[in-house]
């Protein structure tokens, strides 16, 4: 846990500096040129050192459906996703490993897993995901996706009378499972955190939201939800509450500095003010928003209003990848077409700050990780600047964010522990993982089911398509 990185390049306010970085007991001790070596000496020549990024929103188990999901909007995509055969715990374990590895090798040292639970095996699902993240060594926030309303409740009814089936598990039973999991798995000292994560207003009652508020306050935990990903959800909120979803969540006390909200595509100017006032964080998921046709979140507006913004890959069945650098690139340059004033556009240096410190702040960890600051935990990533995709030698951060970097992570540390070295994840046999993922899957095609057809007819009606 004690080492010194020598002669490594780091970004300064508007330039770069070649420095030594001392790490002692897992924390950043000193950052300066010409430091004495403590512990192991690590050669940082021709390498770039950055704080680790946060993959601030994903669903690890969706790895099993990547590449196969139809080109649908979210509501129909969800109906199709529900049609797949249920996962087993072995698949959950393997996909959590895969998500961790892909995140690490694209610059992330923290992942927020909005974990899909196997019905009837909720605690077992959480157990194997925790085991996977511990094995890899990545910092992980386990945020089990919970709901207490059936799938059809997730769409506006329009003028039709719709009867929804009861959800198979009661609100109280769900909250009891969450509290049991908190007591068992929330271990920040081990790099494993727990968050309360009702999926969103579309499938959750106020009773579930309020129960999550109580638990998060009781245990000082973060809250995480999807919010206004689609126009259908915007319409649903007006039907359900008579106001915007943001206004309603604010009224019931869900929004605060420990709350992160994925997507936030369809918000009003007043909604944005509320997020800024409550210090809530927006997690930008540009690739899934494009894949599902949800829209472009007004990230420049959020930033101008003082809202904290971070990046997420989202699940691999709505993104088909867990490449965090790809999400950062798309989430930055996409907005060059939403605002003609180029002074508002996101620069590469601002992007890496959003991905690191922005992500940390969204998890209430901004004082512990997210920057190369003395006293913070050593969650660090070192990039190989001699890699072909980071050449020729121009602006290292510009190449990392705006280019198409591949296999560029040389080393990564979490809490000062080396978990990637020489471009390879230390605790995982990646070749074996690939073989297991291959063995547990098969080539397949997807056909439109009766359920999807029924929901599609209603969706087209209420959305006036």
């Amino acid at each position: 846990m004690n080492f010194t990185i020598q002669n490594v390049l780091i970004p300064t306010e508007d330039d770069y500096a070649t420095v030594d970085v001392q790490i002692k007991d897992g924390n950043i001790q000193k950052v300066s040129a010409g430091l004495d070596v403590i512990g192991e000496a690590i050669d940082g020549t021709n390498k770039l050192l950055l704080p680790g990024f946060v993959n601030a929103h994903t669903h690890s188990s969706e790895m099993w459906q990547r590449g196969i999901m139809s080109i649908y909007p979210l509501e129909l995509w969800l109906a199709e996703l529900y049609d797949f055969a249920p996962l087993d715990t072995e698949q959950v374990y393997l996909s959590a490993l895969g998500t961790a590895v892909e995140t690490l090798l694209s610059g992330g040292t923290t992942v927020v897993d909005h974990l899909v639970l196997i019905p009837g095996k909720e605690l077992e699902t959480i157990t194997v995901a925790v085991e996977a993240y511990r094995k890899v060594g990545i910092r992980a926030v386990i945020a089990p996706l919970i709901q207490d309303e059936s799938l059809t409740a997730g769409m506006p009814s329009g003028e039709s009378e719709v009867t929804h089936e009861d959800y198979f598990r009661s609100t109280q039973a769900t909250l009891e499972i969450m509290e049991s999991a908190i007591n068992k798995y929330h271990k920040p000292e081990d790099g494993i955190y727990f968050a309360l994560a009702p999926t969103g207003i579309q499938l959750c009652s106020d009773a579930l939201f309020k129960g999550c508020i109580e638990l998060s306050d009781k245990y000082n935990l973060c809250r995480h939800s999807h919010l206004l990903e689609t126009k259908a959800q915007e319409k649903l909120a007006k039907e359900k509450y008579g106001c915007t979803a943001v206004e309603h969540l604010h009224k019931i006390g869900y929004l605060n500095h420990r709350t992160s909200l994925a997507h936030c595509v369809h918000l009003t100017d007043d909604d944005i003010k509320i997020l800024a006032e409550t210090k809530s964080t927006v997690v930008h998921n540009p690739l899934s928003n494009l894949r599902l046709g949800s829209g472009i979140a007004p990230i420049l507006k959020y930033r101008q209003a003082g809202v904290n913004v971070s990046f997420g890959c989202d699940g691999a069945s709505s993104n088909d990848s867990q490449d965090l650098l790809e999400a950062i690139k798309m989430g930055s340059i996409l907005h060059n077409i939403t605002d003609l004033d180029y002074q508002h556009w996101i620069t590469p240096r601002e992007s890496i700050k959003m991905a690191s410190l922005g992500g940390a702040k969204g998890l209430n960890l901004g004082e512990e990780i997210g920057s190369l600051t003395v006293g913070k935990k050593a969650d660090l990533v070192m990039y190989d600047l001699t890699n072909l995709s980071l050449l020729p030698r121009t602006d290292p951060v510009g190449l990392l964010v705006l280019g198409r970097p591949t296999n560029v992570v040389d080393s990564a540390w979490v809490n000062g522990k080396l978990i990637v070295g020489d471009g390879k994840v230390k605790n995982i046999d990646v070749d074996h993982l690939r073989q297991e993922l291959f063995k547990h899957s098969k080539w397949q095609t997807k056909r439109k089911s009766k359920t999807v057809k029924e929901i599609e007819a209603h969706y087209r009606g209420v959305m006036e398509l």
Side-chain angles (χ1 to χ4, degrees), residues 12 22 29 36 56 82 93 136 159 176 231 246 257 259 263 289 303 327 338 353 360 395 404 424 458:
T12 57
Q22 288 181 351
Q29 177 87 354
D36 293 333
Y82 272 55
Y93 177 74
V136 176
E159 298 179 358
E176 288 171 0
K231 290 294 288 183
V246 173
H257 69 285
T259 305
H263 303 294
N289 291 345
R303 285 168 49 79
T338 66
K353 187 174 181 179
D395 178 1
R404 183 64 179 92
K424 296 180 180 179
H458 177 72

Side-chain angles (χ1 to χ4, degrees), residues 121-195:
K121 294 184 177 181
E122 292 85 358
L123 288 176
E124 292 95 325
T125 308
I126 297 168
T127 297
V128 296
V130 169
E131 287 175 355
Y133 292 130
R134 278 182 175 153
K135 182 172 179 62
V136 176
I138 196 169
R139 195 177 297 277
V141 179
I142 309 296
L145 185 151
I146 52 176
Q147 64 189 78
D148 61 353
E149 295 178 351
S150 62
L151 182 62
T152 55
M155 281 195 293
S157 59
E159 298 179 358
S160 59
E161 291 290 330
V162 181
T163 302
H164 307 298
E165 294 180 3
D166 290 338
Y167 194 62
F168 77 93
R169 188 177 58 229
S170 72
T171 304
Q172 186 57 37
T174 297
L175 292 169
E176 288 171 0
I177 291 169
M178 292 302 101
E179 186 157 25
S180 294
I182 291 166
N183 288 318
K184 189 171 183 180
Y185 300 110
H186 182 62
K187 308 286 184 185
E189 64 277 10
D190 296 335
I192 301 292
Y193 305 76
F194 201 89

Side-chain angles (χ1 to χ4, degrees), residues 72 75-76 79-80 83 151-152 155-157 160 162-165 447-462:
Y72 277 153
E75 286 71 26
L76 303 185
E80 184 174 272
D83 267 356
L151 182 62
T152 55
M155 281 195 293
S157 59
S160 59
V162 181
T163 302
H164 307 298
E165 294 180 3
R447 297 192 179 186
K448 193 179 293 186
S449 71
K450 180 181 177 183
T451 303
V452 173
K453 289 177 181 177
E454 290 173 351
I455 291 178
E456 183 175 20
H458 177 72
Y459 176 85
R460 293 186 66 83
V462 298

Side-chain angles (χ1 to χ4, degrees), residues 244-264:
T244 72
V246 173
E247 289 170 341
H248 183 74
L249 291 179
H250 186 38
K251 285 177 187 174
I252 65 174
Y254 190 75
L255 306 178
N256 70 11
H257 69 285
R258 289 182 281 114
T259 305
S260 62
L261 304 159
H263 303 294
C264 298

Side-chain angles (χ1 to χ4, degrees), residues 154-449:
M155 281 195 293
S157 59
E159 298 179 358
S160 59
E161 291 290 330
V162 181
T163 302
H164 307 298
E165 294 180 3
D166 290 338
Y167 194 62
F168 77 93
R169 188 177 58 229
S170 72
T171 304
Q172 186 57 37
T174 297
L175 292 169
E176 288 171 0
I177 291 169
M178 292 302 101
E179 186 157 25
S180 294
I182 291 166
N183 288 318
K184 189 171 183 180
Y185 300 110
H186 182 62
K187 308 286 184 185
E189 64 277 10
D190 296 335
I192 301 292
Y193 305 76
F194 201 89
L196 279 303
T199 184
I201 63 104
Q202 66 277 13
L203 295 174
C204 298
S205 69
D206 277 359
L208 184 59
F209 273 111
K210 289 176 180 178
C212 289
I213 293 169
E214 290 176 9
L215 286 175
S216 66
D217 288 345
K218 179 178 178 180
Y219 294 100
N220 192 32
L221 303 179
C222 289
R223 307 165 190 163
H224 184 65
S225 297
H226 300 98
L227 180 64
L228 294 174
E229 187 172 353
T230 67
K231 290 294 288 183
Q233 290 175 10
E234 181 183 37
K235 293 181 67 147
L236 175 66
K238 290 178 181 177
E239 281 186 4
K240 199 170 180 178
Y241 308 124
C243 62
T244 72
V246 173
E247 289 170 341
H248 183 74
L249 291 179
H250 186 38
K251 285 177 187 174
I252 65 174
Y254 190 75
L255 306 178
N256 70 11
H257 69 285
R258 289 182 281 114
T259 305
S260 62
L261 304 159
H263 303 294
C264 298
V265 178
H266 301 282
L267 271 62
T268 67
D269 288 345
D270 286 341
D271 290 340
I272 296 171
K273 289 178 183 177
I274 291 171
L275 294 189
E277 289 168 0
T278 58
K279 299 188 182 336
S280 300
T281 290
V282 169
V283 183
H284 188 24
N285 301 273
L287 293 162
S288 63
N289 291 345
L290 292 172
R291 165 82 152 85
L292 302 174
S294 300
I296 300 175
I299 296 302
L300 300 185
K301 274 189 174 184
Y302 297 148
R303 285 168 49 79
Q304 290 166 45
V307 177
N308 183 52
V309 180
S310 59
F311 292 105
C313 287
D314 207 350
S317 63
S318 62
N319 173 336
D320 306 283
S321 169
Q322 288 295 290
D323 187 331
L324 192 49
L325 285 169
E326 182 183 42
I328 293 167
K329 175 179 179 176
M330 182 62 73
S332 302
I333 64 175
L334 179 63
H335 305 285
N336 296 0
I337 64 170
T338 66
D339 188 337
L340 292 178
D341 189 345
Y342 57 88
Q343 295 184 73
H344 297 156
W345 295 355
I346 301 170
T347 68
R349 286 174 181 246
E350 289 169 337
S351 296
I352 63 170
K353 187 174 181 179
M354 291 163 63
S356 52
L357 188 57
K361 285 180 177 178
L363 300 174
N364 200 30
L365 294 173
E367 298 301 314
E368 298 182 44
I369 60 173
S371 62
L372 298 176
T373 302
V374 171
K376 286 194 174 184
K377 298 181 185 300
D379 285 22
L380 308 171
V381 177
M382 193 160 66
Y383 299 89
D384 179 6
L385 297 179
T386 69
N387 181 283
L388 182 60
S389 61
L390 293 182
L391 292 172
R393 290 189 290 174
T394 54
D395 178 1
V397 169
L399 280 166
L400 191 69
V401 173
L402 300 176
R404 183 64 179 92
T406 56
N407 303 318
V408 294
V409 172
D410 175 87
S411 305
W413 296 264
V414 173
N415 206 28
K417 183 178 179 181
L418 183 70
I419 56 176
V420 177
D422 296 322
K424 296 180 180 179
V425 181
K426 304 292 285 185
N427 297 328
I428 297 294
D429 183 339
V430 175
D431 285 339
H432 178 70
L433 175 60
R434 286 193 299 105
Q435 291 166 12
E436 289 297 302
L437 288 168
F438 188 87
K439 183 175 76 174
H440 284 78
S441 56
K442 61 181 180 180
W443 309 122
Q444 55 185 310
T445 55
K446 195 78 177 88
R447 297 192 179 186
K448 193 179 293 186
S449 71

